[in-house]
């Protein structure tokens, strides 16, 4: 009898889990981490087309610009704006470069780079850590990564095929999260929900003018985004790193966290970096795009920019390269 009860329970759990498993077909990192369905938080507005031939990576020797960046640079999307205008870009990740060390200038000569600009791209969330690592670094420790093919980004979010290969428990938890969400938004005072796996949901003012997902009033954010503004010491540290690049023109591209762009736009770091270091004022540019009702600048299910957002970023970087 006990065995029958156990088997029946397992069968019921499997049936329920399999029924809800299609809900766990995630395409964005925030929907996956927060276990919320793409049907509610996946972007729906078509994104711009980027030609495959613009996503190339020039060699060290032929490049006009060296880009050192994180996951915001890996798709080569902002670089495509430069490539389209005849500028050759060689991109390296922080995983390969590790740091900008004291011997960076001589090391760059050894690599055969003859360009004039080095774009240092890093997202706000990781900026202080990247700076600290470089400040204490004496000697470059380069580990070239295998160069994987880069393909054009999706213009539309795929919705046709459900992924049934995930854990049954994820589908069930996603359904429970939907029920919790429905209860929360029934309250007139709903503004935020701290979810699991460092995901936070916030109600965004005029959200349906800024996002295309079904529940456009509410947006998913990374709960560990950098909340406070950077100090004057951060600017001083950037100036110290600049001294290691006397033969090139450093361009600091600090990409605001998604929550900064939408929820904490009054930070002054970007204004100060523009005034002190002639760094592109990325926050100001993205805030202007939001004011102009750019849809899905950062999609609800993403921590990264949309294709439209990357092209805006590419334009501001291109402007910073001009004499």
């Amino acid at each position: 009898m006990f065995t029958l009860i156990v088997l029946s329970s397992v069968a019921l759990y499997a049936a329920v889990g399999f029924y809800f498993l299609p809900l766990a077909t995630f395409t964005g990192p925030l929907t996956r981490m927060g276990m919320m369905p793409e049907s509610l938080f996946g972007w729906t507005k078509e994104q711009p087309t980027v030609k495959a031939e613009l996503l190339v990576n020039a060699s060290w020797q032929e490049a006009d610009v060296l880009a050192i960046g994180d996951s915001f640079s890996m798709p080569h999307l902002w670089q495509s704006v430069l490539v389209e205008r005849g500028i050759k870009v060689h991109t390296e990740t922080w995983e390969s470069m590790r740091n900008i060390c004291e011997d960076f200038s001589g090391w760059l000569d050894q690599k055969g780079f003859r360009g004039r600009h080095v774009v240092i791209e890093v997202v706000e969330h990781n900026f202080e850590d990247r700076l600290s690592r470089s400040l204490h670094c004496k000697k470059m420790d380069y580990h070239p990564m295998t160069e994987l093919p880069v393909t054009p980004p999706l213009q539309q979010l795929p919705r046709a095929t459900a992924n049934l290969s995930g854990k049954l428990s994820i589908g069930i938890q996603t359904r429970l999260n939907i029920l919790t969400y429905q209860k929360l938004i029934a309250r007139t005072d709903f503004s935020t929900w701290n979810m699991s796996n460092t995901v936070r949901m916030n109600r965004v003012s005029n959200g349906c003018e800024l996002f295309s997902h079904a529940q456009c009033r509410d947006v998913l954010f990374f709960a560990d985004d950098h909340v406070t503004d950077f100090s004057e010491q951060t600017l001083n540290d950037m100036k110290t790193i600049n001294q290691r690049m006397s033969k090139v023109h450093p361009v600091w591209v600090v990409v605001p966290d998604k929550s900064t762009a939408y929820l904490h736009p009054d930070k002054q770091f970007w204004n100060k970096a523009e005034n002190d270091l002639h760094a592109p004022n990325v926050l100001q540019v993205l805030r202007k795009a939001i004011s102009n009702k750019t849809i899905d600048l950062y999609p609800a299910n993403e921590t990264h920019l949309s294709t439209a957002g990357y092209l805006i970023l590419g334009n501001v970087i291109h402007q910073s390269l001009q004499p």
Side-chain angles (χ1 to χ4, degrees), residues 125-234:
H125 178 78
N126 296 325
F127 186 44
E128 287 181 317
D129 180 61
R130 290 294 182 197
L131 268 181
S132 176
R133 289 171 181 268
S134 287
L135 282 170
H136 296 95
C137 180
K138 303 293 184 181
K139 186 175 178 60
M140 292 294 296
D141 183 24
Y142 177 59
H143 292 262
M145 308 291 287
T146 301
E147 193 166 326
L148 301 174
V150 179
T151 57
L154 296 172
Q155 288 182 264
Q156 295 180 323
L157 200 64
R159 299 179 183 277
T161 305
N163 183 358
L164 301 178
S165 63
K167 295 181 180 179
L168 298 179
S169 60
I170 302 299
I172 294 173
Q173 185 58 57
T174 301
R175 178 55 184 165
L176 292 175
N177 284 349
I178 294 172
L179 294 174
T180 301
Y181 175 58
Q182 290 172 339
K183 291 179 180 178
L184 287 171
I185 60 175
R187 293 166 26 190
T188 57
D189 63 343
F190 174 73
S191 62
T192 186
W193 174 23
N194 289 316
M195 307 169 69
S196 60
N197 298 325
T198 64
V199 175
R200 185 180 68 250
M201 181 187 297
N202 279 84
R203 179 145 292 178
V204 173
S205 178
N206 301 322
C208 291
E209 296 180 357
L210 301 174
F211 298 95
S212 68
H213 60 282
Q215 294 297 120
C216 50
R217 294 191 303 167
D218 303 318
V219 181
L220 302 177
F221 295 90
F222 187 41
D224 286 349
D225 276 352
H226 195 274
V227 177
T228 58
D229 208 347
F230 292 121
S231 67
E232 292 293 330
Q233 185 58 47
T234 301

Side-chain angles (χ1 to χ4, degrees), residues 289-310:
I290 292 171
S291 297
N292 290 337
K293 305 295 190 298
T294 300
I295 304 295
D296 300 326
L297 185 69
Y298 292 76
N301 63 351
E302 265 287 354
T303 56
H304 294 83
L305 293 163
S306 63
T307 301
Y310 278 118

Side-chain angles (χ1 to χ4, degrees), residues 58-322:
S59 69
W60 282 97
Q61 293 74 25
E62 67 179 355
D64 304 305
V65 174
L66 168 63
I68 305 171
D70 51 29
S71 56
F72 280 80
S73 293
M74 289 174 66
H76 290 228
L77 287 174
W78 67 257
Q79 297 95 314
S80 72
V81 176
L82 278 60
V83 174
E84 189 172 31
R85 296 169 185 176
I87 300 172
K88 297 178 181 179
V89 184
H90 178 76
T91 300
E92 292 283 345
T93 67
W94 286 106
E95 284 69 25
S96 62
M97 296 291 292
R98 305 298 173 93
N99 303 294
I100 298 174
C101 305
E102 290 182 2
D103 65 339
F104 179 79
S105 184
W107 178 86
L108 202 58
D109 287 340
Q110 293 175 10
K111 297 302 294 180
F113 179 68
R114 297 294 179 263
R116 293 182 53 236
H117 299 91
V118 176
V119 175
I120 309 163
E121 180 275 310
V122 60
V123 69
E124 178 187 2
H125 178 78
N126 296 325
F127 186 44
E128 287 181 317
D129 180 61
R130 290 294 182 197
L131 268 181
S132 176
R133 289 171 181 268
S134 287
L135 282 170
H136 296 95
C137 180
K138 303 293 184 181
K139 186 175 178 60
M140 292 294 296
D141 183 24
Y142 177 59
H143 292 262
M145 308 291 287
T146 301
E147 193 166 326
L148 301 174
V150 179
T151 57
L154 296 172
Q155 288 182 264
Q156 295 180 323
L157 200 64
R159 299 179 183 277
T161 305
N163 183 358
L164 301 178
S165 63
K167 295 181 180 179
L168 298 179
S169 60
I170 302 299
I172 294 173
Q173 185 58 57
T174 301
R175 178 55 184 165
L176 292 175
N177 284 349
I178 294 172
L179 294 174
T180 301
Y181 175 58
Q182 290 172 339
K183 291 179 180 178
L184 287 171
I185 60 175
R187 293 166 26 190
T188 57
D189 63 343
F190 174 73
S191 62
T192 186
W193 174 23
N194 289 316
M195 307 169 69
S196 60
N197 298 325
T198 64
V199 175
R200 185 180 68 250
M201 181 187 297
N202 279 84
R203 179 145 292 178
V204 173
S205 178
N206 301 322
C208 291
E209 296 180 357
L210 301 174
F211 298 95
S212 68
H213 60 282
Q215 294 297 120
C216 50
R217 294 191 303 167
D218 303 318
V219 181
L220 302 177
F221 295 90
F222 187 41
D224 286 349
D225 276 352
H226 195 274
V227 177
T228 58
D229 208 347
F230 292 121
S231 67
E232 292 293 330
Q233 185 58 47
T234 301
L235 294 169
N236 292 333
D237 292 344
M238 294 165 69
K239 293 173 184 177
T240 298
I241 299 298
N242 278 358
Q243 293 172 6
R244 301 173 183 179
M245 291 182 279
S246 57
K247 298 180 181 180
V248 294
H249 176 229
V251 179
W252 289 90
V253 179
V254 183
V255 182
D257 291 339
K258 180 180 178 180
S259 60
T260 294
Y262 289 101
L263 305 177
H264 311 292
D266 296 328
K267 296 180 181 180
Q268 294 303 305
F269 164 76
W270 282 267
N271 293 330
K272 294 176 180 178
E274 181 182 28
N275 291 332
D276 289 5
L277 297 163
H278 305 291
N281 197 326
V282 182
L283 178 59
Q284 183 183 81
V285 169
L286 296 184
R287 284 299 304 172
K288 182 178 180 180
I290 292 171
S291 297
N292 290 337
K293 305 295 190 298
T294 300
I295 304 295
D296 300 326
L297 185 69
Y298 292 76
N301 63 351
E302 265 287 354
T303 56
H304 294 83
L305 293 163
S306 63
T307 301
Y310 278 118
L311 298 181
I312 291 171
L313 180 63
N315 278 314
V316 72
I317 293 173
H318 180 260
Q319 291 172 15
S320 71
L321 303 182
Q322 305 312 303

